Amino acid sequence: TLEEMSTTTPETRTSFGTKRRNALIAAKDEMNKPPLPRLTVTMNAPLCIRARFQSFLSGKSKQPDYDARDWLRTVVFAPRNIRGFENIRNPWLCVQFVTILWVLFTKIIEPKPLKTFSEQLSKVESVYLIMFSTLGFLIVFRLTRAAVRFWDCRQAWGNMVIYSRCVADALMVRAEEVQMDCNKSEEVTREIVAACDDCVAWCAAFAVSSKQFLRGIDALPKEELLGVLSEEDVNKLQKSPHQPMFCYSMMRRCSSRIYVTYRHSQKSEMREMHETIRDESGRSELSKYLQGLITQEGALERLRATKLPQIYVAHLRTFLILYCFSIPFVYAMNWGWATIPATAIATFALMGVEGAAMECEIPFDANRANHLRMDQYCETIVNSCALLAQWGGEEQAKKELNGGRRETITEESIDEECERMTVVAANEGDNGGVDQSKDTTSTSLYETTREEMNRRLSISKEHVTLDVLNTNATPTEFTPAGAAFGIERTGSAMSGISLTPQNELTSQSLENIAETLKTG
């Protein structure tokens, strides 16, 4: 400030001037800096694609898929970690230890009081069956709850894929709209397009950061974000305490840069109002998609932090342990040495259901084969963003998609084509010495063509497709004007016009109309 400058020494004032000069130089360098490449260039670079593929592949290899129709592989040759035996290993081994001791006592030592006690327990087998039915109901309830939670997690990830695609597509459409707007300056256009690319990049990073956050891993796999975020942005995201929320915050800030109404002195009030309405509509649409993303991520956090109430688990496990430990005492006198393998199989079947429920209750671990394949879901989201950025970011790609034939048809282009056809018809009339009747015919065809073009344009604007529903229609008849457009009219009671993508009004069809007028 001036007060500080007046109270400082000449050396300090010199340092102030140096800092100001350096700041001006830095600002000038920032202005002269070349614009950043589009997101489609960085994301679809071969090196980045290869690095992301290798990173996602290493994660997917820990959770391989299987063929549900292959019984031999799922029953006999199933991997050891598939069955989740570590969840029930300790209680199952305890039951087997007690079973072996009891059978040894009854068959080798055979003390008379112990044998009498075993015979009395074998008489309560009917009550034991009733207890088994109740236990089966509890186990089914436990497994059903776990399956519902697993499916809720998978459904949330599926919705995240859908919302991510909607976000990327809406932003690429917005970038293309801005580039076609002649009323926006080059600088404003560049800022909005860059904001669209940034938002798509943070959308892809949102999926990767959500995967790491749900797994409880702080480190971000930088290979999966190669070509998506800069190293500086990755470091900022790495330091954030809640990485998905940081990505969501960045997307919201990008949206505020995308839908900004830039005032222009040459705009009419009506045009400015139309732009405002369009921008507010796009802002509302993008906000809905972003809200859907953070809602699904919040649902995944809720499922991770909330387990089944402990009373259900404690009640089920209490009766499950009592039932399994009592199997050798009830059936040892009847089964003999077969009690040991029979108890092992029965307890593994019952405890295995509880182990499966434990496995699927919070399915976010990267090293468990039965958990969600979140690496695959993230790869789908990142690849979808890359494809949509490519289709909406490269002019050559857009030309290759539509074959370079279709152009934007507007009222101005139709008026220009009609004026050109009028000039051509007038020149031919003057040079060829045509009579008045031919001029009248040419004018009539011109008016018919103009009416048909206006009707086609209104149908294209309203996105209406009229199909001929009556298959018993009479043979088609072509009108002169309709022949120029490739439109067929039917003579049935449900007559209509069949518009197909090949019949769209394009520059090629306009040339056909001009040729028709030239030949009379």
Side-chain angles (χ1 to χ4, degrees):
T1 62
L2 292 177
E3 294 179 358
E4 293 175 345
M5 292 289 291
S6 62
T7 58
T8 54
T9 62
E11 292 79 5
T12 308
R13 288 196 294 270
T14 303
S15 65
F16 285 160
T18 304
K19 291 180 180 179
R20 182 173 179 272
R21 185 167 57 252
N22 293 336
L24 292 174
I25 293 174
K28 185 177 180 180
D29 293 341
E30 185 70 22
M31 293 176 61
N32 296 331
K33 185 185 297 183
L36 295 174
R38 291 295 304 273
L39 182 65
T40 178
V41 177
T42 58
M43 287 192 72
N44 294 292
L47 180 62
C48 298
I49 293 176
R50 191 181 304 111
R52 292 198 303 265
F53 174 78
Q54 292 294 337
S55 180
F56 285 123
L57 183 63
S58 63
K60 293 189 295 183
S61 61
K62 300 177 182 178
Q63 298 171 320
D65 201 359
Y66 72 98
D67 186 4
R69 298 171 295 181
D70 191 351
W71 281 75
L72 188 63
R73 190 170 183 81
T74 55
V75 176
V76 181
F77 300 105
R80 185 177 60 181
N81 60 344
I82 291 294
R83 297 190 180 275
F85 180 71
E86 61 273 10
N87 296 330
I88 61 171
R89 178 177 52 200
N90 293 334
W92 185 81
L93 291 177
C94 290
V95 171
Q96 302 317 305
F97 179 73
V98 172
T99 302
I100 293 173
L101 287 181
W102 181 255
V103 172
L104 289 176
F105 276 133
T106 56
K107 293 299 180 181
I108 297 177
I109 303 176
E110 293 186 356
K112 188 174 181 180
L114 199 62
K115 186 176 181 180
T116 304
F117 176 72
S118 181
E119 291 176 353
Q120 291 176 354
L121 283 178
S122 62
K123 296 179 182 179
V124 297
E125 185 177 352
S126 58
V127 178
Y128 197 71
L129 294 175
I130 297 176
M131 181 181 175
F132 176 76
S133 301
T134 306
L135 182 63
F137 174 77
L138 294 175
I139 291 177
V140 169
F141 173 79
R142 172 86 165 99
L143 185 62
T144 303
R145 291 295 91 196
V148 169
R149 289 171 59 89
F150 184 89
W151 177 247
D152 287 343
C153 295
R154 179 62 186 92
Q155 190 175 20
W157 269 106
N159 292 334
M160 285 180 63
V161 173
I162 295 173
Y163 282 120
S164 300
R165 289 172 174 173
C166 292
V167 168
D169 182 64
L171 292 171
M172 289 299 101
V173 171
R174 171 61 176 173
E176 190 171 352
E177 288 177 354
V178 172
Q179 289 174 329
M180 293 188 299
D181 193 350
C182 301
N183 295 306
K184 285 185 171 59
S185 64
E186 183 179 354
E187 182 181 357
V188 171
T189 301
R190 185 168 59 250
E191 289 292 333
I192 295 178
V193 170
C196 291
D197 287 347
D198 292 344
C199 193
V200 175
W202 285 112
C203 180
F206 178 83
V208 177
S209 60
S210 298
K211 176 195 67 174
Q212 299 297 105
F213 184 79
L214 292 172
R215 289 176 174 174
I217 303 174
D218 295 331
L220 281 174
K222 295 185 178 181
E223 295 81 6
E224 297 178 7
L225 298 176
L226 193 61
V228 180
L229 295 180
S230 64
E231 187 175 357
E232 181 182 359
D233 290 335
V234 173
N235 293 332
K236 291 180 181 179
L237 181 60
Q238 181 74 55
K239 297 177 182 178
S240 175
H242 196 293
Q243 296 168 357
M245 283 292 294
F246 184 83
C247 294
Y248 175 73
S249 177
M250 292 297 103
M251 287 189 287
R252 293 288 297 175
R253 278 151 182 77
C254 289
S255 66
S256 65
R257 292 159 47 201
I258 293 169
Y259 294 101
V260 177
T261 303
Y262 294 92
R263 305 297 178 185
H264 198 279
S265 58
Q266 297 180 358
K267 285 183 182 178
S268 64
E269 184 178 354
M270 183 63 66
R271 181 179 180 84
E272 190 172 328
M273 183 179 65
H274 286 170
E275 278 198 14
T276 303
I277 294 174
R278 184 189 63 185
D279 291 349
E280 288 301 322
S281 176
R283 188 198 303 270
S284 176
E285 180 186 12
L286 182 59
S287 298
K288 180 180 68 174
Y289 295 149
L290 296 180
Q291 184 180 2
L293 275 177
I294 198 64
T295 300
Q296 300 305 320
E297 198 276 336
L300 291 170
E301 288 188 29
R302 168 178 55 84
L303 291 168
R304 190 192 68 164
T306 307
K307 300 179 181 178
L308 199 66
Q310 191 173 1
I311 184 174
Y312 290 106
V313 180
H315 189 71
L316 169 63
R317 291 182 179 179
T318 300
F319 280 91
L320 181 61
I321 290 296
L322 289 177
Y323 182 85
C324 292
F325 273 102
S326 62
I327 289 178
F329 297 101
V330 175
Y331 294 104
M333 295 301 298
N334 297 330
W335 295 349
W337 292 105
T339 306
I340 298 176
T343 303
I345 295 174
T347 53
F348 182 79
L350 294 174
M351 291 184 178
V353 178
E354 170 64 16
M358 293 172 58
E359 186 82 5
C360 301
E361 192 173 16
I362 304 178
F364 300 124
D365 198 330
N367 299 317
R368 292 187 177 272
N370 296 295
H371 283 199
L372 290 174
R373 306 180 69 191
M374 293 193 290
D375 291 279
Q376 179 182 356
Y377 311 150
C378 290
E379 185 181 21
T380 301
I381 292 176
V382 173
N383 290 343
S384 298
C385 291
L387 283 175
L388 290 170
Q390 180 182 4
W391 294 338
E394 291 183 353
E395 294 297 329
Q396 186 63 29
K398 287 185 285 188
K399 290 181 179 180
E400 291 176 355
L401 286 177
N402 58 23
R405 294 178 291 103
R406 293 188 174 88
E407 298 176 355
T408 303
I409 304 301
T410 61
E411 290 281 359
E412 290 78 5
S413 62
I414 290 179
D415 291 337
E416 292 174 0
E417 187 64 27
C418 287
E419 291 176 2
R420 187 180 68 83
M421 290 187 294
T422 304
V423 172
V424 171
N427 292 336
E428 288 183 355
D430 294 338
N431 297 331
V434 295
D435 55 3
Q436 184 68 24
S437 61
K438 191 168 183 178
D439 290 340
T440 304
T441 305
S442 178
T443 303
S444 176
L445 279 175
Y446 168 76
E447 293 176 354
T448 304
T449 303
R450 176 61 179 164
E451 293 176 359
E452 194 69 27
M453 291 165 72
N454 287 332
R455 186 190 61 78
R456 290 286 301 277
L457 180 62
S458 64
I459 291 177
S460 177
K461 284 183 177 180
E462 297 175 3
H463 303 284
V464 178
T465 302
L466 303 176
D467 297 324
V468 181
L469 302 178
N470 191 352
T471 57
N472 297 325
T474 58
T476 58
E477 298 177 358
F478 287 88
T479 61
F485 286 89
I487 302 175
E488 57 182 46
R489 302 186 182 277
T490 61
S492 61
M494 300 181 65
S495 62
I497 302 174
S498 177
L499 299 180
T500 62
Q502 289 76 17
N503 293 332
E504 291 180 359
L505 189 58
T506 62
S507 58
Q508 185 66 32
S509 62
L510 292 176
E511 293 177 2
N512 294 337
I513 296 170
E515 291 295 333
T516 304
L517 291 177
K518 289 179 182 179
T519 57

